[in-house]
Amino acid sequence: MDYTRRNISWITAAAFLLAVEFLILIVWGFGFIPIETAPIAKGVVPQLLQLFKPEREITLYRLAIVAAIAIEVGLCIVFRRHIATKDLASSFSLWVTNASVWISLQLIAAFKLLQYQNPAWAKGLFYGAGICFVITQIFWPEIRKFMEKHAQPSWVKTNTQHIIVHVGMLIVIGVLLFIPGLNRTVSTQMIAAILYFWILYLLLVLWFDSVMFAVFGVVIAIKLNLFHLGQYPIYLMNLSSTGLANPWDLAVFFLIWQHIHRHKEWLLTLAGTLCAMAVVSHFASGLALTFAWLGYIVVHVVQSPSKKDVLLQLRAWGIVYVVVLCVVQWQWGVQGVVMQQWLMMKNGWDALPIISCLYMHQFFPFWLALLIPLVYVAIVVWGSTLLTVGTLTAVYVFLIPMAIYGLGWYYVFLYRSLISTYYAGILPFIVIALCVLKYVVMTYISDRWRSRLLILLVAGSVLFLLTNNMYLVYRNNAHAVFKTH
Amino acid sequence: MQFLKHTNQRNSLWITLISICSGIQIVLALSLLVKFIPLKVDTIFLQQPDAQQRLRPEFEVLLFSLGLVSVVVIQSILVWVLRRRMTQSTLETRLKSFLIIESILVFVLVSAWYKTIVYDYRPFLANVTLIVFLVLSLLHKIFYKDVSNLFSTLHALIARYKQHAQAKLVLTLVSVLAIAGIIYTPDIDGSLARMFIGEQFHHWDIFIMSPGWAALNGHQMNVDQISQYGVGLPIMISHLAQLMGGFTYHNVLWIFVVMTVMYYVAWFLILRRWWGGLGLVMAAIITGLRVQMFHPGVYPSVLTYPSSLVIRYFFDVIVFWAILNHLTDHRRGWLWAAAFSSGIAIFYMDSTGLFLTVTFYAYLMLRVLIPHPKQFFFYKFKDIAVVIALLSVPLITAGLLFYLAVGQHLFTAVFWQNMLETIDYFLSGIGTYPMYESFKYHMFFPGVVGFIIPVVYVVTMLFVSTLCFWKKRDITHLLIVILCVYGLGLNHYYIARSLQTSYYVAGLPFIIVCFYWVREFIGRFSPQQQRAMTGWVLALSIYALATTHMFMAYPNMFNISRHPLTDPHVALPLPTDGAPYFNHLFRKEGEETKTALNNLGQTDEQLYRESDFANDAALRDYYDQEFDFNQDAALIEHYTAPQDQVALISSFETKILMQANRRPFFYYFPLVNSRPMHMRSLTVNFLHTSTERFLEVALNQLHHKAPEYVFMEKIFLTKDIPKGYLDRPENIVPILNYINQHYHPVAQGKYLVALQRN
């Protein structure tokens, strides 16, 4: 192992971070000194004088470069005797991890200050992160010891501790979404949303056996489902464009997961009943859920050693589903809904082409919108082939109905390609992405970096949610829209 | 990874990906076919009150469903056919090679489809590409064995001739010719015609033609004549053009094109010598060309903006060549060559020359500081003198050249004040933009790249220099360190004027640094993998260049159109609103700034657009006719002697004086910003010449030198100056007032009038 090379990498990273911090400091400091108009601009006619925008960027640029060089040289001189030692890299890596967190926060805050015209919270974040950076430098030996000790956090050991953590997380989710003082109807919808994400959190804990994964998943789901521009001014006005349009999906997938592990046939019967109910709740996604359920049944039939019994059972599931659907149809007239939906779709009523977002220069969402169905199709088709060759794992079995459900939602988006329909059915993709993270990405990363990566992902997702403008105006908008004051 | 442990799992994955590729191809083929099927709407929906707004029938759902079904069917067929061979590793090899070709086809198909959307106003080329590659996809499936064999043969051929010296030479020559072919434009006059009708040689006159003409006539730069882009450049280029047969727009453009070819070929040779291999070097150069010459910031062609061409920093190639040689053979002669070239570079263009000199100093400093086994440099005390001498050479060389150019004026405050005038304006904030400007307009990608570039430079510079210091890298890696120093210098232009992609004007060092890291990354793999990866990188760079519309519109030998300047299939409209490029600067000018009649006493302004020209030859004919000021040149010749300085206020004043073979009179030359001669509007002067200083200098010249004759456009004689024009800050009314007060008309040319002092 070439320790010198590794140490130099970390020293360079540290020098670079310190130079960035220095740049932040001088930009902040220069902010208090007004820029005077240069003498040469005198005599310029007033109409043109407005084109003079004096700035200090060149000075700052040069100072930052000089600082980076000076710091690198300084660090090399200070650590010259340890340059080939093994320990230098590990201590530097801890420092770099710590510093990059605070500096990143400062940069994000600076970006938000520019983007949203100096909001107070961004100023708070900027100064807060700066102060934290300084404090961590002062108490670095203690912090370093703490970080080394908890390189692989294992704070939660007993069942009681587990319960405390989960209850704590549920409270946090509630606090994130709860707004007091709304009228009863809106409050009911808000509580429904909280409940939905509580259940999602618990299911993610169940599916991934990790609090960190669950927190990461649920925070991303809240952000993508409830707080995007398609939900302007507030998601509570349009719950049908959120995951709550069809809350049966969580129950169905919970039952499918349970069936994969417990093999109780009544679980699938119950899932079928819920699918039929889901068709009433939200026709398109209900249909998608039904197909997901059927997809899982196909996998189950193929995998089952006693196909005869399963086929008999299949008949029972079919009967239950049809009976429930008939009752529902009799009660609410589903047939009419189906015909209406079909006619509207056939004639392109309220349809929007997927390329419409390109005309608004939304390149990233456009390509992602094309990538997502490919991921779903690949999972279903590859899974089917693995099923044929007999090497399908339990985790993969769960992904197949999830991908089918995602494909169903994708039809909704494809028909009406809006940002709201894009994010309404994002849940399957989040679950699949978490699976890829856990079963593919994490296998390439060492234990120490795995926990660091997870902490960063969770912190990043929380920051992503909390600094989003839609979330920042959430409470104000709720009160403004529903006129509670 | 548990999903890919067994061969049959991997084979299943390759089959899945092949099925998806085929599904995409089918969907794209169907999307072309459904364009011929009209979409019908039920009458009941048409009767709805808001039907017009809400009815948008489309095939997207149907196409997606058909694609889904095709993927499932293809997958089922493939799995069924290959069911007995699923565990064979030979199948995996075949599937992978099939998949690679399919992926390439899909990549091109999807990008062609994407271009049909982005360029929906001119989708012809993208549609043709789509159809051609769909046919190729079909053919690949039929003849996949032959295609596979062809690739194997090619692979074997490359492996066989890789070490063959003659094959290497031939490939190098082909690469050089390819670079020249990409840059060289055979239709020089056509390019000039487009510049003439597109932006009336605005940038050309400021950059080279006006100072060049003045220099050729013995004027001293920044003493008799303003020269915004350095003292040496106009002198050197104008004399070079004179040697080539005359200082004309044609010859200067030809020189610039050839210099650009030479510059890129020289960098190709530097990288070839430094990195050895050909593939990655060619990929770096092609990407460099794509980024530096064909980015949207130089619309419609980089040739329109000579300050964006590599001639701005032409001498860097000599300095880096010398330094590379010094790093490899350690002869001190190379250092003297680099020092001398840096000095010439300062004289040639002060800003870029100074950055180059700082780069050279950085190299010297690194060589002094970094220990090296040979200890060939600075190991004796007497070497201090050598270092001091090397540090002095650039400044002494530049000083001598400046002295030769401006003589005693070098020691006057006025000269340096004039030298720094443009820089002072720039530094005082005129035309500058903050680095976060792009974020304001939600252009995050260009904005982020603007920050990434200096970060890459700084981190590379620090990391590699420290590695060299601790002897973890060969000393030749210092070249990348000093390239970063140089890149950071050139990046000053972007830091001050952070406009979208303006960092690409000096983008080549950044691309080389990026490819340095690509090379470092590829170097970690086996030779076979390295070959494959290099091939992919090269293919991607060619793709990036070939599919950019800026390249497709460039009038080189690879252009698919025989009339690239006027053919709507390739000629670019304005990126902002898709309007014609020709005469775009003046098309929207309102009547409130216009006079009743133009210079010729007509109302027709003749603001032609691309569609008014049948082909490029028609455009060239128009240019030859309109850019010939024979009658006006004759008028000037008649009233002035060959040695006279001629006071001329007119659009295209440089060309008129060149035709009349007379020297310019005003220090600020060109005095006004050219506009089409047939327009009914008065000209405007430049932004920087709207100051008190400008008026003072111009009026002082007129007053003190009191030329016997002044020439100006007839339209300036008008008594009824439009009110809208008077409101414009950059008008030249005070100068016109002075002339009308002190001069009277005596004769007329085609566009000009001669006025004699009262």
Side-chain angles (χ1 to χ4, degrees):
Chain A
M1 184 77 184
D2 187 356
Y3 292 117
T4 308
R5 191 189 146 91
R6 209 170 63 157
N7 290 336
I8 289 170
S9 311
W10 286 112
I11 285 174
T12 307
F16 173 71
L17 284 172
L18 281 169
V20 172
E21 186 58 42
F22 171 75
L23 181 64
I24 291 171
L25 265 174
I26 52 172
V27 169
W28 175 77
F30 272 126
F32 298 104
I33 307 166
I35 308 175
E36 286 178 11
T37 309
I40 198 156
K42 282 173 190 163
V44 174
V45 289
Q47 294 103 311
L48 290 180
L49 202 58
Q50 62 191 2
L51 296 175
F52 278 73
K53 286 175 266 188
E55 55 179 34
R56 295 196 182 95
E57 284 187 353
I58 288 185
T59 313
L60 298 171
Y61 174 70
R62 289 174 183 167
L63 282 173
I65 294 168
V66 171
I69 296 168
I71 295 165
E72 176 88 0
V73 172
L75 289 175
C76 281
I77 292 169
V78 172
F79 295 101
R80 67 188 183 281
R81 297 191 202 289
H82 309 277
I83 201 76
T85 59
K86 190 182 171 184
D87 296 337
L88 190 65
S90 62
S91 58
F92 258 105
S93 77
L94 283 175
W95 187 91
V96 165
T97 310
N98 171 64
S100 53
V101 167
W102 304 120
I103 291 170
S104 304
L105 282 176
Q106 282 174 281
L107 292 176
I108 290 167
F111 177 70
K112 297 285 180 182
L113 283 168
L114 288 172
Q115 203 183 11
Y116 298 131
Q117 283 84 44
N118 299 328
W121 69 266
K123 276 187 185 169
L125 182 64
F126 180 80
Y127 287 117
I131 291 165
C132 286
F133 177 79
V134 175
I135 290 173
T136 52
Q137 302 314 302
I138 297 167
F139 300 105
W140 178 239
E142 290 78 13
I143 289 165
R144 186 183 153 185
K145 267 184 202 163
F146 177 82
M147 285 175 82
E148 278 171 348
K149 193 177 171 187
H150 299 287
Q152 292 174 57
S154 53
W155 310 312
V156 185
K157 286 169 187 160
T158 65
N159 277 343
T160 319
Q161 284 172 329
H162 267 112
I163 290 166
I164 291 168
V165 168
H166 295 322
V167 170
M169 289 302 166
L170 295 180
I171 291 169
V172 169
I173 293 168
V175 169
L176 282 174
L177 297 178
F178 186 74
I179 306 169
L182 299 177
N183 65 47
R184 181 176 287 184
T185 319
V186 181
S187 293
T188 314
Q189 289 180 337
M190 183 185 61
I191 289 164
I194 293 171
L195 275 173
Y196 180 83
F197 288 103
W198 275 357
I199 296 167
L200 179 63
Y201 168 76
L202 294 172
L203 289 180
L204 290 175
V205 171
L206 178 75
W207 293 339
F208 293 97
D209 194 22
S210 157
V211 175
M212 299 296 267
F213 267 90
V215 173
F216 177 53
V218 84
V219 172
I220 290 289
I222 289 172
K223 163 68 190 79
L224 297 183
N225 237 246
L226 308 183
F227 300 105
H228 55 82
L229 281 177
Q231 297 289 15
Y232 183 83
I234 188 163
Y235 73 90
L236 291 169
M237 288 180 75
N238 193 15
L239 277 185
S240 63
S241 64
T242 69
L244 273 87
N246 201 338
W248 304 104
D249 55 2
L250 295 184
V252 171
F253 283 109
F254 170 71
L255 293 170
I256 288 175
W257 175 268
Q258 289 297 96
H259 185 264
I260 291 169
H261 292 91
R262 293 173 59 193
H263 310 293
K264 302 281 184 202
E265 302 305 335
W266 64 267
L267 290 166
L268 281 186
T269 312
L270 187 57
T273 312
L274 293 177
C275 287
M277 298 295 291
V279 173
V280 187
S281 172
H282 188 268
F283 177 71
S285 62
L287 213 57
L289 202 56
T290 304
F291 276 107
W293 173 67
L294 286 171
Y296 175 70
I297 287 174
V298 171
V299 174
H300 177 52
V301 170
V302 175
Q303 275 193 322
S304 178
S306 56
K307 293 204 172 35
K308 200 176 170 185
D309 295 346
V310 179
L311 283 170
L312 280 172
Q313 191 63 38
L314 184 62
R315 206 161 54 191
W317 294 326
I319 289 165
V320 170
Y321 182 80
V322 171
V323 166
V324 173
L325 208 58
C326 287
V327 169
V328 168
Q329 192 271 332
W330 171 70
Q331 195 69 29
W332 287 293
V334 173
Q335 196 181 351
V337 175
V338 173
M339 282 311 291
Q340 194 194 352
Q341 293 272 346
W342 163 247
L343 276 174
M344 283 170 72
M345 206 173 99
K346 188 169 156 265
N347 287 280
W349 189 259
D350 278 344
L352 273 176
I354 195 167
I355 54 169
S356 58
C357 58
L358 262 191
Y359 295 123
M360 292 180 280
H361 294 273
Q362 299 291 321
F363 295 100
F364 186 68
F366 171 76
W367 288 111
L368 198 63
L370 295 182
L371 178 78
I372 287 173
L374 289 182
V375 171
Y376 291 149
V377 173
I379 285 172
V380 175
V381 176
W382 189 28
S384 314
T385 314
L386 290 175
L387 187 67
T388 318
V389 296
T391 50
L392 196 64
T393 59
V395 173
Y396 206 115
V397 168
F398 184 63
L399 288 185
I400 292 175
M402 197 58 92
I404 295 172
Y405 182 54
L407 272 175
W409 261 113
Y410 188 72
Y411 269 101
V412 179
F413 166 70
L414 199 58
Y415 179 70
R416 189 163 165 72
S417 306
L418 277 173
I419 191 167
S420 48
T421 48
Y422 181 68
Y423 287 122
I426 202 74
L427 179 66
F429 192 71
I430 292 174
V431 174
I432 289 166
L434 285 176
C435 275
V436 172
L437 184 68
K438 178 162 184 173
Y439 299 105
V440 181
V441 178
M442 290 299 187
T443 55
Y444 289 103
I445 299 170
S446 68
D447 288 348
R448 197 173 61 160
W449 280 101
R450 206 175 292 167
S451 55
R452 280 187 203 176
L453 178 67
L454 265 179
I455 291 168
L456 282 177
L457 283 175
V458 170
S461 63
V462 172
L463 194 73
F464 182 44
L465 172 68
L466 297 183
T467 60
N468 180 268
N469 206 32
M470 284 295 289
Y471 184 77
L472 289 166
V473 296
Y474 170 49
R475 284 172 175 80
N476 286 345
N477 277 6
H479 289 299
V481 169
F482 302 113
K483 296 190 173 54
T484 53
H485 295 302
Chain B
M1 215 164 32
Q2 55 173 331
F3 297 127
L4 294 171
K5 221 164 22 183
H6 307 292
T7 314
N8 58 6
Q9 285 176 321
R10 289 195 297 276
N11 282 340
S12 309
L13 180 63
W14 308 136
I15 291 172
T16 303
L17 295 176
I18 289 168
S19 307
I20 289 174
C21 286
S22 308
I24 293 169
Q25 289 162 4
I26 289 168
V27 169
L28 290 175
L30 289 174
S31 71
L32 285 179
L33 290 176
V34 295
K35 282 181 185 167
F36 299 103
I37 304 170
L39 285 156
K40 285 180 186 169
V41 178
D42 292 343
T43 44
I44 192 166
F45 279 93
L46 285 171
Q47 289 160 5
Q48 298 286 333
D50 48 356
Q52 287 295 322
Q53 287 83 41
R54 300 182 69 178
L55 274 178
R56 286 177 289 258
E58 56 180 28
F59 283 113
E60 281 181 0
V61 172
L62 178 70
L63 288 173
F64 182 68
S65 306
L66 287 172
L68 214 57
V69 171
S70 12
V71 172
V72 173
V73 170
I74 294 165
Q75 177 86 358
S76 309
I77 293 169
L78 286 175
V79 172
W80 175 257
V81 172
L82 303 169
R83 66 190 183 282
R84 293 185 209 290
R85 300 164 58 194
M86 288 299 272
T87 49
Q88 293 175 1
S89 53
T90 48
L91 177 69
E92 190 179 356
T93 316
R94 287 200 158 203
L95 285 174
K96 271 189 341 197
S97 62
F98 186 82
L99 178 64
I100 288 168
I101 310 279
E102 283 291 298
S103 310
I104 295 168
L105 290 166
V106 166
F107 178 73
V108 177
L109 282 168
V110 171
S111 42
W113 169 74
Y114 174 72
K115 301 270 180 185
T116 61
I117 301 164
V118 178
Y119 300 114
D120 64 338
Y121 50 92
R122 282 176 188 177
F124 172 77
L125 289 176
N127 271 332
V128 169
T129 314
L130 199 58
I131 294 164
V132 168
F133 274 82
L134 280 170
V135 173
L136 285 175
S137 305
L138 187 67
L139 291 174
H140 176 239
K141 283 167 194 69
I142 300 167
F143 303 107
Y144 80 94
K145 278 187 182 168
D146 302 285
V147 175
S148 179
N149 289 340
L150 183 74
F151 274 94
S152 305
T153 316
L154 269 175
H155 196 258
L157 214 65
I158 291 169
R160 190 175 159 192
Y161 287 102
K162 197 171 162 39
Q163 302 305 325
H164 209 285
Q166 280 173 328
K168 274 185 186 174
L169 187 68
V170 169
L171 279 175
T172 306
L173 281 174
V174 169
S175 303
V176 168
L177 288 175
I179 294 167
I182 289 168
I183 299 166
Y184 188 74
T185 171
D187 187 5
I188 295 281
D189 283 335
S191 294
L192 288 169
R194 179 165 62 179
M195 289 179 216
F196 168 72
I197 200 166
E199 55 118 57
Q200 291 72 40
F201 290 121
H202 172 109
H203 289 88
W204 265 72
D205 283 345
I206 293 175
F207 186 81
I208 178 66
M209 296 312 294
S210 302
W213 177 247
L216 207 60
N217 282 281
H219 282 207
Q220 291 175 327
M221 295 296 97
N222 289 325
V223 175
D224 304 314
Q225 223 69 66
I226 187 171
S227 175
Q228 290 188 38
Y229 292 91
V231 170
L233 183 139
I235 297 171
M236 289 156 91
I237 298 293
S238 59
H239 283 88
L240 193 61
Q242 195 72 355
L243 284 175
M244 303 297 298
F247 181 71
T248 61
Y249 283 78
H250 179 101
N251 284 354
V252 174
L253 177 56
W254 188 85
I255 288 168
F256 280 2
V257 170
V258 172
M259 279 172 79
T260 309
V261 172
M262 285 164 64
Y263 182 85
Y264 273 99
V265 169
W267 264 111
F268 168 79
L269 296 173
I270 289 175
L271 295 181
R272 184 97 173 82
R273 173 140 186 233
W274 182 17
W275 292 350
L278 185 70
L280 217 51
V281 170
M282 201 53 193
I285 294 294
I286 287 173
T287 313
L289 281 165
R290 159 69 184 86
V291 163
Q292 197 271 326
M293 283 187 71
F294 302 106
H295 66 92
V298 290
Y299 164 86
S301 166
V302 70
L303 299 177
T304 311
Y305 313 98
S307 60
S308 296
L309 284 167
V310 292
I311 49 159
R312 188 172 179 149
Y313 36 87
F314 183 77
F315 285 90
D316 66 15
V317 84
I318 302 171
V319 174
F320 279 96
W321 176 255
I323 289 175
L324 176 66
N325 281 321
H326 182 250
L327 281 166
T328 48
D329 66 20
H330 317 301
R331 287 187 196 160
R332 271 194 195 157
W334 294 115
L335 286 180
W336 295 111
F340 187 64
S341 303
S342 302
I344 297 174
I346 297 175
F347 171 68
Y348 178 75
M349 194 181 284
D350 38 55
S351 56
T352 53
L354 281 171
F355 296 139
L356 196 58
T357 306
V358 170
T359 306
F360 173 67
Y361 287 168
Y363 177 67
L364 281 182
M365 193 188 73
L366 285 166
R367 292 313 306 264
V368 170
L369 291 176
I370 293 178
H372 189 266
K374 287 205 168 190
Q375 291 290 324
F376 64 95
F377 193 76
F378 200 63
Y379 69 102
K380 289 177 190 165
F381 189 70
K382 68 174 184 182
D383 279 349
I384 291 176
V386 177
V387 173
I388 291 170
L390 282 168
L391 288 170
S392 318
V393 166
L395 299 178
I396 293 169
T397 308
L400 278 173
L401 289 170
F402 275 125
Y403 185 78
L404 287 174
V406 298
Q408 290 295 327
H409 293 288
L410 183 65
F411 308 107
T412 63
V414 178
F415 170 74
W416 289 105
Q417 196 182 343
N418 290 345
M419 274 284 284
L420 296 172
E421 186 184 352
T422 313
I423 296 170
D424 274 352
Y425 273 113
F426 203 55
L427 293 178
S428 65
I430 189 84
T432 56
Y433 294 90
M435 278 182 81
Y436 52 81
E437 185 79 0
S438 298
F439 294 131
K440 280 191 191 169
Y441 308 109
H442 290 260
M443 289 186 291
F444 294 108
F445 186 71
V448 168
V449 173
F451 283 94
I452 287 175
I453 289 173
V455 168
V456 169
Y457 282 142
V458 169
V459 172
T460 306
M461 180 178 73
L462 298 181
F463 184 57
V464 180
S465 57
T466 315
L467 284 176
C468 289
F469 183 83
W470 296 106
K471 297 174 189 170
K472 292 291 161 188
R473 276 284 181 278
D474 183 72
I475 201 80
T476 51
H477 287 259
L478 278 184
L479 197 66
I480 208 70
V481 176
I482 57 159
L483 195 63
C484 288
V485 175
Y486 183 56
L488 283 167
L490 289 183
N491 204 42
H492 273 73
Y493 174 69
Y494 172 73
I495 300 298
R497 194 172 161 77
S498 311
L499 262 181
Q500 288 185 39
T501 54
S502 58
Y503 38 75
Y504 288 141
V505 169
L508 190 62
F510 177 66
I511 295 299
I512 294 172
V513 173
C514 290
F515 270 83
Y516 168 82
W517 288 115
V518 170
R519 184 171 170 266
E520 289 282 301
F521 175 74
I522 289 177
R524 301 159 80 107
F525 295 87
S526 70
Q528 200 183 352
Q529 285 171 321
Q530 280 183 28
R531 250 201 317 273
M533 289 166 98
T534 306
W536 280 108
V537 173
L538 180 61
L540 266 177
S541 64
I542 292 170
Y543 166 83
L545 177 70
T547 59
T548 181
H549 214 137
M550 287 293 292
F551 177 73
M552 282 192 238
Y554 188 74
N556 59 8
M557 60 185 283
F558 294 115
N559 200 297
I560 53 167
S561 172
R562 292 178 66 192
H563 305 284
L565 308 168
T566 51
D567 185 347
H569 292 133
V570 293
L572 286 163
L574 282 176
T576 44
D577 55 2
Y581 169 68
F582 288 6
N583 289 309
H584 69 285
L585 292 173
F586 302 98
R587 201 181 296 286
K588 288 179 183 167
E589 197 166 313
E591 285 295 319
E592 68 279 4
T593 59
K594 290 185 178 174
T595 54
L597 300 170
N598 63 16
N599 280 315
L600 302 174
Q602 299 163 345
T603 52
D604 182 13
E605 297 191 301
Q606 297 185 9
L607 294 178
Y608 296 126
R609 53 190 74 203
E610 286 87 332
S611 53
D612 293 322
F613 297 94
N615 50 39
D616 287 5
L619 176 67
R620 281 194 298 272
D621 290 345
Y622 171 79
Y623 163 69
D624 288 341
Q625 184 191 323
E626 290 296 313
F627 201 49
D628 180 16
F629 303 101
N630 208 16
Q631 291 179 42
D632 296 309
L635 179 75
I636 293 170
E637 282 178 53
H638 179 75
Y639 284 99
T640 58
Q643 71 279 7
D644 284 350
Q645 287 180 285
V646 174
L648 172 62
I649 305 170
S650 166
S651 290
F652 306 107
E653 57 200 291
T654 310
K655 176 67 190 324
I656 294 171
L657 288 181
M658 282 164 67
Q659 262 190 287
N661 196 22
R662 295 291 185 273
R663 298 192 291 153
F665 172 81
F666 291 108
Y667 170 78
Y668 289 103
F669 176 58
L671 191 78
V672 294
N673 200 350
S674 296
R675 51 102 179 88
M677 282 298 211
H678 291 269
M679 280 196 74
R680 287 184 285 110
S681 66
L682 302 165
T683 59
V684 293
N685 51 329
F686 295 102
L687 204 60
H688 72 279
T689 57
S690 307
T691 58
E692 275 181 1
R693 177 176 152 82
F694 159 70
L695 280 179
E696 191 187 314
V697 171
L699 289 172
N700 266 347
Q701 279 189 287
L702 279 172
H703 190 68
H704 294 300
K705 290 189 180 173
E708 181 64 21
Y709 290 97
V710 167
F711 300 85
M712 64 183 192
E713 284 183 48
K714 291 176 192 172
I715 204 166
F716 293 143
L717 291 174
T718 185
K719 301 290 178 208
D720 302 321
I721 292 177
K723 190 178 175 311
Y725 181 75
L726 287 170
D727 291 340
R728 294 173 77 148
E730 67 274 31
N731 69 54
I732 55 163
V733 172
I735 295 174
L736 293 182
N737 285 342
Y738 179 89
I739 291 171
N740 285 327
Q741 214 179 333
H742 295 87
Y743 289 82
H744 63 277
V746 287
Q748 291 188 4
K750 187 180 177 185
Y751 300 113
L752 300 184
V753 57
L755 297 107
Q756 192 175 19
R757 198 166 180 92
N758 295 330

